[in-house]
């Protein structure tokens, strides 16, 4: 209409010019010219008035949104202000529906993989770059939240789920064909939002960073990896009220570590079904054995060699069954940062590192100067060659097997020292220094308060209640 007006004007200008050339204008021609100018002016007023009216009902926020509309928006308005209003409302609906699809994204993620597959196949490679980015971003949180599912092989499900979201976006685009610009705007916004999400996610978990780098990939990258060297964790344990709690806590720490065999060895004459049940429930690969403390040590009123027969039983097991990897003595009551397990895995002979103590000394640690082991820091040295804590060293299985006589002495306070000495020859320079060259604390010698055994249950009073079941789960000495 605007261009029509210009044409009319130009046309009349030409007429005017030709009229001047002729010297005078006929009455019919001048009436025609005035009519044309009148109609054109009326049109302009109508256009301006209706444009003014059409802007008034929108809220401030809406006006801002629609400022981005292009010239085609203006042109369509000139042709039909009503259709423009409809287009406005339809684009609003579309914007909302797109927003909704963003909001419901996590819900969609939880849908089962089964039905979604065909949708993904239908769409194929037709998605635009921005849409792919949306699907990728949607995939990332799924990978993080359910890594166990990922391991169990349902990767395809996640990928398919992501594609469903792509189809949602696609549908939105289809419904906005009448007002393509508005729809396009909405999609751009959606892409921006999800891109931000992906950036946040990759910051939170570095392993996923590669996913967001390869924005056009929806499949997780397969990296072939051989098993890391095995870890053998020797844990002495004994019957007491805290036993199951300690084992549960340690067990779930070990559950974070791959290729690990947990050797749980109880200072007892026979295994306890409650312990076996606890170990089963935790689900870490384990061997449950017994190794009672010799009677002569049990009877003594002096300090007892705690956990020694258990650890020696573990060493015996390794000599018979293990060929490679690393062994570590993890008392059932201590505290472990799982990164120490990954560090000790690759030890070739012996490794040491600091152990946090809950004593005045604060820590038991090798002393390192200019990268070299120059001594040991501990609250009590006691003439030991290796004044270290049980939680502060690991030994390679091969190295142990090269020393057939190596074992732990029944000598309270000298268990670690005695065992490490029995590994001779071992030069201090051969001792690997873990935990950031002994500048970090990743294990702690903690102690649980000793508790008196639970009192016997009043069976008459609590007959036929759950307490009868629970009572059977309590460990009493
Ligand atoms: C720890 C070590 O385990 C001792 O071997 C070491 O001599 C001592 O530090 C030290 O370096 O001074 P602590 O933490 O006091 O001793 O002892 P506990 O935690 O009570 O026992 C150590 C391990 O042996 C635990 O895993 C525990 O379950 C087990 N244990 C304890 C037994 O198997 N039998 C017992 O009678 C007592
Ligand atoms: Mn302890």
């Amino acid at each position: 209409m605007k261009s029509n007006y210009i044409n009319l004007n130009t046309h009349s200008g030409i007429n005017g010019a030709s009229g001047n050339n002729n010297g005078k204008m006929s009455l019919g021609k001048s009436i025609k010219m005035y009519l044309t100018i009148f109609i054109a002016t009326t049109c302009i007023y109508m256009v301006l008035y209706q444009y003014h009216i059409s802007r008034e009902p929108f809220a401030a926020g809406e006006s801002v949104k629609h400022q981005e509309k292009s010239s085609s928006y203006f042109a369509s308005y000139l042709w039909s202000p009503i259709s423009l209003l409809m287009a406005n409302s339809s684009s609003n609906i579309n914007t909302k529906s797109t927003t909704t699809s963003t909001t419901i994204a996590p819900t969609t993620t939880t849908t089962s993989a089964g039905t979604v597959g065909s949708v993904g196949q239908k769409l194929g490679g037709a998605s635009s770059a921005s849409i792919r980015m949306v699907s990728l971003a949607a995939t990332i949180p799924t990978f993080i939240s359910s890594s166990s599912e990922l391991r169990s092989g349902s990767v395809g499900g996640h990928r398919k789920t992501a594609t469903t979201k792509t189809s949602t976006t696609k549908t939105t685009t289809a419904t906005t064909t009448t007002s393509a610009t508005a729809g396009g705007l909405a999609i751009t916004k959606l892409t921006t939002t999800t891109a931000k999400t992906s950036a946040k996610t990759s910051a939170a978990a570095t392993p996923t960073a590669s996913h967001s780098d390869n924005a056009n990939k929806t499949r997780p990258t397969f990296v072939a990896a051989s098993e890391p060297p095995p870890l053998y964790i020797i844990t002495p344990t004994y019957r007491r009220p805290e036993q199951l709690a300690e084992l549960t806590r340690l067990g779930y720490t070990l559950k974070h570590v791959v290729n690990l065999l947990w050797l749980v060895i109880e200072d007892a004459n026979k295994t306890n079904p409650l312990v076996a049940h606890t170990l089963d429930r935790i689900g870490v690969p384990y061997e449950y054995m017994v190794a009672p403390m010799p009677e002569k040590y049990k009877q003594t009123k002096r300090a007892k060699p705690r956990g020694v027969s258990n650890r020696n039983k573990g060493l015996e097991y390794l000599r018979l069954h293990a060929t490679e990897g690393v062994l570590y003595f993890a008392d059932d009551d201590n505290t472990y940062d799982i990164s120490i397990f990954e560090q000790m895995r690759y030890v070739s002979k012996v490794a040491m590192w600091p152990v946090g103590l809950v004593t005045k000394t604060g820590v038991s640690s090798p002393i390192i100067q200019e990268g070299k082991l120059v001594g040991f820091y501990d609250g009590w040295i006691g003439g030991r060659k290796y004044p270290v804590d049980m939680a502060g060293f690991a030994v390679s299985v091969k190295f142990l097997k090269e020393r057939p006589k190596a074992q732990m002495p029944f000598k309270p306070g000298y268990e670690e020292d005695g065992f490490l000495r029995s590994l001779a020859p071992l030069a201090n320079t051969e001792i690997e220094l873990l935990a950031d060259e002994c500048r970090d604390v990743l294990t702690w010698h903690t102690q649980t308060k000793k508790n008196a055994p639970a009192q016997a249950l009043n069976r008459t009073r609590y007959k036929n209640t759950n307490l009868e079941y629970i009572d059977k789960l309590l460990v009493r000495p």
Side-chain angles (χ1 to χ4, degrees):
M1 196 70 172
K2 198 176 181 181
S3 57
N4 280 357
Y5 161 68
I6 293 163
N7 283 343
L8 281 171
N9 231 355
T10 318
H11 183 66
S12 65
I14 290 165
N15 280 346
S18 64
N20 284 341
N21 286 345
N22 292 340
K24 65 171 188 174
M25 205 185 284
S26 73
L27 184 66
K29 268 187 181 174
S30 66
I31 289 171
K32 204 174 164 186
M33 195 187 80
Y34 280 119
L35 268 175
T36 311
I37 290 167
F38 176 75
I39 290 166
T41 317
T42 315
C43 273
I44 292 163
Y45 275 111
M46 271 177 66
V47 163
L48 289 173
Y49 178 69
Q50 289 194 9
Y51 179 65
H52 175 72
I53 294 282
S54 73
R55 291 180 66 91
E56 264 184 359
F58 292 114
E62 299 274 39
S63 313
V64 173
K65 264 188 211 165
H66 292 281
Q67 267 175 8
E68 291 174 46
K69 291 192 191 306
S70 67
S71 55
S72 63
Y73 166 85
F74 191 60
S76 67
Y77 161 71
L78 288 177
W79 285 116
S80 167
I82 292 168
S83 78
L84 172 72
L85 286 172
M86 283 172 73
N88 271 334
S89 54
S90 80
S91 77
N92 281 344
I93 290 160
N94 283 320
T95 313
K96 272 177 200 155
S97 72
T98 315
T99 318
T100 316
S101 76
T102 319
T103 327
I104 61 160
T107 324
T108 332
T109 314
T110 57
T111 52
S112 67
T115 51
V116 190
S118 59
V119 181
Q121 279 164 3
K122 266 184 223 159
L123 273 170
S127 333
S128 75
S130 69
I131 289 169
R132 278 187 189 176
M133 201 163 160
V134 170
S135 70
L136 176 75
T139 317
I140 291 165
T142 323
F143 284 135
I144 294 163
S145 63
S146 54
S147 58
S148 59
E149 270 182 73
L150 191 77
R151 268 187 234 139
S152 64
S154 59
V155 178
H158 297 302
R159 194 168 71 240
K160 285 165 196 165
T161 312
T163 326
T164 320
K165 264 161 260 154
T166 311
S167 76
T168 315
T169 321
K170 196 83 180 170
T171 317
T172 314
T173 323
T175 50
T176 47
T177 17
T178 44
S179 59
T181 324
L185 184 71
I187 287 167
T188 317
K189 276 184 185 165
L190 177 68
T191 314
T192 319
T193 323
T194 44
K196 268 183 205 158
T197 318
S198 82
K200 264 188 213 160
T201 321
S202 57
T206 1
T208 58
S210 58
H211 289 290
S212 55
D213 289 342
N214 304 313
N216 60 344
K217 277 191 188 175
T218 50
R219 281 167 187 249
T221 313
F222 170 72
V223 181
S226 55
E227 286 277 15
L231 283 177
Y232 297 96
I233 308 300
I234 298 174
T235 295
T237 190
Y238 72 110
R239 191 179 184 94
R240 63 202 194 277
E242 308 83 30
Q243 186 181 23
L244 300 184
E246 306 279 30
L247 289 172
T248 299
R249 191 150 38 93
L250 173 55
Y252 281 102
T253 296
L254 299 180
K255 202 169 181 177
H256 291 285
V257 187
V258 297
N259 205 15
L260 174 149
L261 180 62
W262 190 16
L263 302 172
V264 180
I265 306 159
E266 183 157 343
D267 178 356
N269 293 310
K270 57 180 177 60
T271 56
N272 177 351
L274 286 178
V275 170
H277 173 71
T278 303
L279 300 178
D280 282 335
R281 190 165 60 185
I282 295 166
V284 168
Y286 73 89
E287 287 289 343
Y288 178 32
M289 297 172 269
V290 290
M293 185 187 288
E295 275 307 313
K296 58 173 175 179
Y297 302 118
K298 262 190 208 168
Q299 304 306 328
T300 182
K301 284 185 181 146
R302 295 156 69 178
K304 287 175 185 145
R306 299 154 170 251
V308 173
S309 58
N310 326 35
R311 297 189 193 100
N312 282 335
K313 175 90 177 186
L315 294 175
E316 213 177 283
Y317 177 94
L318 293 182
R319 290 187 194 282
L320 285 173
H321 299 104
T323 53
E324 53 171 345
V326 164
L327 79 94
Y328 176 61
F329 298 119
D331 286 359
D332 60 358
D333 55 341
N334 290 339
T335 308
Y336 310 91
D337 182 312
I338 55 166
S339 57
I340 197 66
F341 297 112
E342 296 314 320
Q343 295 181 26
M344 70 172 78
R345 227 188 252 288
Y346 303 94
V347 164
S348 58
K349 287 181 178 173
V350 173
M352 291 185 182
W353 59 86
V355 177
L357 304 174
V358 205
T359 63
K360 210 169 104 183
T361 314
V363 72
S364 165
S365 175
I367 301 169
I368 315 302
Q369 208 165 32
E370 290 169 2
K372 286 192 183 115
L373 172 65
V374 295
F376 294 92
Y377 182 84
D378 198 287
W380 171 70
I381 300 297
R384 294 181 291 173
K385 183 181 180 187
Y386 301 107
V388 299
D389 193 277
M390 197 65 77
F393 65 92
V395 178
S396 115
V397 166
K398 275 196 178 120
F399 187 69
L400 173 82
K401 290 180 83 171
E402 284 164 15
R403 278 121 180 101
K405 287 182 185 161
Q407 61 165 12
M408 194 165 282
F410 286 88
K411 198 176 168 188
Y414 292 85
E415 294 94 336
E416 300 89 345
D417 185 51
F419 172 67
L420 288 165
R421 277 174 191 259
S422 76
L423 291 173
L426 171 69
N428 275 5
T429 49
E430 293 176 311
I431 298 171
E432 291 169 54
L433 306 166
L434 303 186
D436 191 18
E437 289 203 328
C438 298
R439 286 178 290 197
D440 205 354
V441 177
L442 297 174
T443 57
W444 291 264
H445 187 146
T446 42
Q447 257 175 348
T448 304
K449 176 183 148 305
K450 294 227 178 305
N451 299 283
Q455 63 186 8
L457 181 73
N458 184 332
R459 300 203 166 269
T460 334
R461 189 169 176 185
Y462 298 107
K463 199 173 165 55
N464 297 327
T465 72
N466 62 315
L467 296 180
E468 286 188 327
Y469 291 86
I470 291 170
D471 188 61
K472 289 179 197 148
L473 302 177
L474 303 182
V475 176
R476 293 184 174 92

